[in-house]
Amino acid sequence: MPSCVHGNSRGSGSKGRPRASVTSPGLSRHSRLPLRRNAPCRKDDVTVGAPAAHGWETDWERAPEPTLARGSAQPVCEYPGRRPPGDPMASEGLTGALAAVLAGQGPSVQSCDSAPAGEPPVPVRLRKNVCYVVLAVFLSEQDEVLLIQEAKRECRGSWYLPAGRMEPGETIVEALQREVKEEAGLHCEPETLLSVEERGPSWVRFVFLARPTGGILKTSKEADAESLQAAWYPRSSLPTPLRAHDILHLVELAAQYRQQARHPVILPQELPCDLVCQRLVVTFTSAQTVWVLVGTVGIPHLPVTACGLDPVEQRGGMKMAILRLLQECLTLHHLVVEIKGLLGLQHLGRDHSDGICLNVLVTVAFRSPGIQDEPPKIRGENFFWWKVTEEDLQSQLLKRLQGSSVVPVNR
């Protein structure tokens, strides 16, 4: 682990912007599908509220209307090359894709429905324009926490959870296992993703609940540049000084999950992606009916939005990419948008494929509830609302929405 600052280090900035294309399995590295580009969503265009309990509640009172690329006022889906929302073939594909995403899986990223304005996006690269950090929380049956003692000069002697930056060519799980072995001397397996923390698209930390599977706990006699030692401490009596107090919340989050799991087991899915992007499950509910926003460019699909690495999207965080896409297709000043959390995570790491795709659950609701039973009107022709009629899928969606059974995303 080359740096002591696991918890708040940031990846180096990039002067470039992501190229407007992504790869998918079955395509060569030179065969790329184009992104659709629409109007930008600038930071100055929106007023963002404080974090809600399980997401972000966003104030759009002062948000101007977006400029539409193709200007239709109706959700036009019945045009050449696209299936209308009632097409049974479209619904069958959407049902499978949504079921996979709710199960923590999902299709590979083939293109994006929204991208930052300006220059086309360039592929992200670890150590160049993005930094990913892994962190492990271990809890023993005796309610003890595994901590490591830092060896780096800036924080030598302080205690922290095993953590460190990912290296190029690693999967997320491989990076987690390497860091734990280097710092604590133990082999491990992740049990589930606990949370994701971000400081904009160029710095993302993946927090896992993990369990030891072997190895020998590192002692002070084995001190090296990675750590001075590792030790188990009671959760109620952690050693001092701590390198940073951000780990206290993570330890409690792990303890709560052990006591009562709020979301299913979620582990990274190894699929290639060139960009930092988000696949959205945007829902509108009325009574016991659920609608899901669907993109129509190509075959009907859950929409994908690319995150920009420019200063505006860095400051606003990864939620800016979500708000940008929604602003392109909905009239938002009378809506409340809440980002609930993650349903899954995709990353490969091999073959210079350093991008990530986060599957994100989002809700859209009217500011005056109860006045409408139908979802808000679509602007333009690139999206439509799909009414989920399959009972099991509808039940799963309602359960995830009502119980907030998602992985939290924190800033």
Side-chain angles (χ1 to χ4, degrees), residues 126-162:
L126 278 171
R127 299 289 187 177
K128 293 184 179 179
N129 55 7
V130 293
C131 174
Y132 305 145
V133 178
V134 290
L135 181 147
V137 184
F138 292 84
L139 289 177
S140 72
E141 294 182 357
Q142 292 74 37
D143 201 29
E144 294 177 323
V145 182
L146 177 66
L147 297 177
I148 62 99
Q149 192 173 34
E150 299 283 6
K152 303 298 186 293
R153 183 180 61 182
E154 309 91 86
C155 47
R156 188 177 180 87
S158 60
W159 294 87
Y160 205 67
L161 294 169

Side-chain angles (χ1 to χ4, degrees), residues 76-146:
V76 181
C77 299
E78 300 179 86
Y79 50 88
R82 309 186 191 190
R83 295 191 177 107
D87 189 319
M89 289 293 290
S91 295
E92 182 180 350
L94 288 169
T95 297
L98 180 56
V101 169
L102 290 174
Q105 303 296 310
S108 61
V109 175
Q110 298 185 8
S111 63
C112 291
D113 298 272
S114 177
E119 294 298 319
V122 296
V124 298
R125 291 288 180 265
L126 278 171
R127 299 289 187 177
K128 293 184 179 179
N129 55 7
V130 293
C131 174
Y132 305 145
V133 178
V134 290
L135 181 147
V137 184
F138 292 84
L139 289 177
S140 72
E141 294 182 357
Q142 292 74 37
D143 201 29
E144 294 177 323
V145 182
L146 177 66

Side-chain angles (χ1 to χ4, degrees), residues 25 84 208 244 267 364 393 397 400:
F208 289 89
L267 294 173
V364 172
L393 199 56
L397 264 174
R400 302 299 287 272

Side-chain angles (χ1 to χ4, degrees), residues 64-282:
E65 296 303 328
T67 302
L68 294 177
R70 283 182 270 187
S72 172
Q74 299 295 328
V76 181
C77 299
E78 300 179 86
Y79 50 88
R82 309 186 191 190
R83 295 191 177 107
D87 189 319
M89 289 293 290
S91 295
E92 182 180 350
L94 288 169
T95 297
L98 180 56
V101 169
L102 290 174
Q105 303 296 310
S108 61
V109 175
Q110 298 185 8
S111 63
C112 291
D113 298 272
S114 177
E119 294 298 319
V122 296
V124 298
R125 291 288 180 265
L126 278 171
R127 299 289 187 177
K128 293 184 179 179
N129 55 7
V130 293
C131 174
Y132 305 145
V133 178
V134 290
L135 181 147
V137 184
F138 292 84
L139 289 177
S140 72
E141 294 182 357
Q142 292 74 37
D143 201 29
E144 294 177 323
V145 182
L146 177 66
L147 297 177
I148 62 99
Q149 192 173 34
E150 299 283 6
K152 303 298 186 293
R153 183 180 61 182
E154 309 91 86
C155 47
R156 188 177 180 87
S158 60
W159 294 87
Y160 205 67
L161 294 169
R165 296 181 184 182
M166 287 178 56
E167 299 287 351
E170 290 183 315
T171 68
I172 295 175
V173 171
E174 288 171 346
L176 184 79
Q177 293 171 329
R178 174 183 55 77
E179 287 292 344
V180 171
K181 183 65 171 64
E182 290 175 353
E183 295 191 343
L186 300 180
H187 303 292
C188 74
E189 290 291 338
E191 295 187 38
T192 187
L193 187 66
L194 273 181
S195 76
V196 170
E197 301 167 337
E198 53 100 356
R199 303 292 182 267
S202 68
W203 188 94
V204 185
R205 183 164 76 170
F206 306 103
V207 178
F208 289 89
L209 177 63
R211 59 182 178 87
T213 59
I216 300 175
L217 194 66
K218 191 173 189 177
T219 68
S220 58
K221 294 180 180 180
E222 300 162 309
D224 56 21
E226 300 296 337
S227 68
L228 300 179
Q229 62 178 316
W232 293 91
Y233 284 91
R235 181 163 62 92
S236 60
S237 181
L238 299 182
T240 57
L242 295 176
R243 189 178 68 76
H245 285 82
D246 62 334
I247 64 172
L248 297 177
H249 165 71
L250 301 178
V251 170
E252 291 308 308
L253 189 64
Q256 292 169 13
Y257 188 90
R258 276 284 177 82
Q259 184 175 8
Q260 183 178 4
R262 296 195 62 181
H263 60 77
V265 170
I266 294 177
L267 294 173
Q269 187 182 9
E270 294 183 11
L271 287 176
C273 185
D274 274 355
L275 309 176
V276 176
C277 59
Q278 298 170 87
R279 176 182 288 109
L280 307 184
V281 179
V282 180

Side-chain angles (χ1 to χ4, degrees), residues 388-398:
V388 180
T389 57
E390 204 278 323
E391 290 186 6
D392 181 63
L393 199 56
Q394 185 183 95
S395 175
Q396 288 185 54
L397 264 174
L398 289 171

